[in-house]
Amino acid sequence: MADETRVPITSAADIVTARQKGRALAQELGFVGGDVTLITAAISEVSRNIVEHAMRGEITFQPVHQGSKQGLCVVARDQGPGIADISQAMEYGFSTRKGLGVGLPGAKWLMDEFDIHSEVGVGTTITMKKWH
């Protein structure tokens, strides 16, 4: 198993690829059923944000360990416009594109750990982990 898997994100087709690779790795790491679905949904949300807001970026997947726990770390990076108000972007119902506004808060809810760092004019990095 490769230590890190990278998926460039530049179009909607890449969202599908990221979902497929994330699902396969999650299953390889021993995640089953609902957890695989949650991980895949979170990957969709952060990948879609890259396509809609930054046009290009990447998703990386990496197995992680913490004591006896095993997990999957998903990192979404872009060099897009950045997020001026992260707390506002993390509110359910807030959307800059007339969407449902569940993207980032939804991804946070789906995963066990969620961290976002964004700088206007530089880009955004989201790190998410799911443990089992």
Side-chain angles (χ1 to χ4, degrees):
M1 176 170 36
D3 192 42
E4 183 178 84
T5 302
R6 294 175 176 269
V7 180
I9 304 291
T10 59
S11 70
D14 297 329
I15 297 171
V16 175
T17 302
R19 284 173 53 95
Q20 291 169 338
K21 290 194 176 190
R23 174 183 296 276
L25 183 55
Q27 290 170 332
E28 204 175 306
L29 293 172
F31 287 97
V32 293
D35 279 344
V36 174
T37 302
L38 296 178
I39 291 166
T40 305
I43 292 166
S44 288
E45 295 296 343
V46 296
S47 299
R48 190 172 298 111
N49 270 6
I50 290 173
V51 171
E52 290 182 1
H53 300 287
M55 304 339 155
R56 66 177 61 252
E58 75 173 1
I59 304 285
T60 59
F61 305 103
Q62 190 166 26
V64 289
H65 306 279
Q66 186 175 358
S68 62
K69 290 195 301 184
Q70 284 194 44
L72 175 63
C73 179
V74 179
V75 178
R77 282 188 192 89
D78 68 60
Q79 288 78 46
I83 301 169
D85 187 341
I86 290 174
S87 62
Q88 183 181 46
M90 293 303 296
E91 289 177 19
Y92 276 101
F94 175 76
S95 175
T96 57
R97 300 258 176 161
K98 299 188 175 122
L100 296 176
V102 297
L104 292 178
K108 180 178 182 177
W109 181 81
L110 294 166
M111 300 294 274
D112 295 325
E113 294 181 28
F114 183 96
D115 181 64
I116 182 168
H117 176 77
S118 189
E119 198 171 324
V120 173
V122 177
T124 302
T125 300
I126 296 170
T127 304
M128 310 181 294
K129 292 179 184 170
K130 190 76 169 169
W131 298 100
H132 73 94

